Amino acid sequence: KEWPEHVQYIGYADKATRKKLLSEASFSFLLSTYWEPFGGTAVESMLSGCVPICTDAGAMTEYIVDGVNGFRCNTIGDILRAIRLHGTINRERMINFAQSNFSLDAVRPKFERAFNDFEDVFHNSSWYVDHNRPLECGLGIDYKHLYVD
């Protein structure tokens, strides 16, 4: 297949290749018509310093703050606005936000908490027992790195 001069065909991009491509790109697209349950492409983009431009649907509505750490779009006009404004995103804050919420160190305690809860509910007691465990992590997303240096 012949490609236009301005197009470079890469083919399958393994993890190292994706990291390199995303770290060199200004922005990426995740314009899914599917209600993404997580949208890992947007997270990979943020971790690499690449501004994600996403649809305003699915999980991206929970962790992309429009105009702060990426863009959420409904129309072609929204996409054009995002492309025009992608340089206004504070990439350091975007990367810190992604690391503080989606790195293995960030998600490990949340999974441990969930697995402990599952074990307690299904094997040891019920939903109604106060397990008197220290709260080592929250369940939600921490947005402070988007707003605090």
Side-chain angles (χ1 to χ4, degrees), residues 122-138:
F122 294 108
H123 298 292
N124 299 326
S125 54
S126 73
W127 288 96
Y128 305 103
V129 173
D130 180 351
H131 302 286
N132 197 27
R133 287 195 298 253
L135 183 60
E136 296 176 7
C137 71

Side-chain angles (χ1 to χ4, degrees), residues 39-75:
T41 302
V43 171
E44 271 188 302
S45 293
M46 287 189 290
L47 287 167
S48 299
C50 179
V51 176
I53 298 174
C54 304
T55 47
D56 188 27
M60 289 81 72
T61 63
E62 296 181 30
Y63 61 79
I64 299 293
V65 179
D66 190 46
V68 179
N69 65 330
F71 294 92
R72 294 180 2 211
C73 304
N74 288 308
T75 66

Side-chain angles (χ1 to χ4, degrees), residues 30-43:
L30 178 53
L31 301 173
S32 179
T33 57
Y34 169 69
W35 279 66
E36 298 280 348
F38 181 65
T41 302
V43 171

Side-chain angles (χ1 to χ4, degrees), residues 13-109:
D14 61 17
K15 190 164 99 173
T17 304
R18 282 194 316 270
K19 185 175 180 178
K20 181 181 184 310
L21 290 170
L22 287 170
S23 70
E24 294 173 352
S26 297
F27 55 87
S28 66
F29 293 112
L30 178 53
L31 301 173
S32 179
T33 57
Y34 169 69
W35 279 66
E36 298 280 348
F38 181 65
T41 302
V43 171
E44 271 188 302
S45 293
M46 287 189 290
L47 287 167
S48 299
C50 179
V51 176
I53 298 174
C54 304
T55 47
D56 188 27
M60 289 81 72
T61 63
E62 296 181 30
Y63 61 79
I64 299 293
V65 179
D66 190 46
V68 179
N69 65 330
F71 294 92
R72 294 180 2 211
C73 304
N74 288 308
T75 66
I76 295 296
D78 290 345
I79 295 167
L80 294 173
R81 174 187 61 95
I83 292 169
R84 182 172 41 84
L85 296 176
H86 78 275
T88 63
I89 300 294
N90 182 320
R91 289 171 194 260
E92 184 178 341
R93 285 185 181 173
M94 178 185 70
I95 292 167
N96 289 340
F97 167 80
Q99 288 173 338
S100 69
N101 284 286
F102 303 114
S103 68
L104 290 177
D105 288 337
V107 298
R108 183 179 299 111

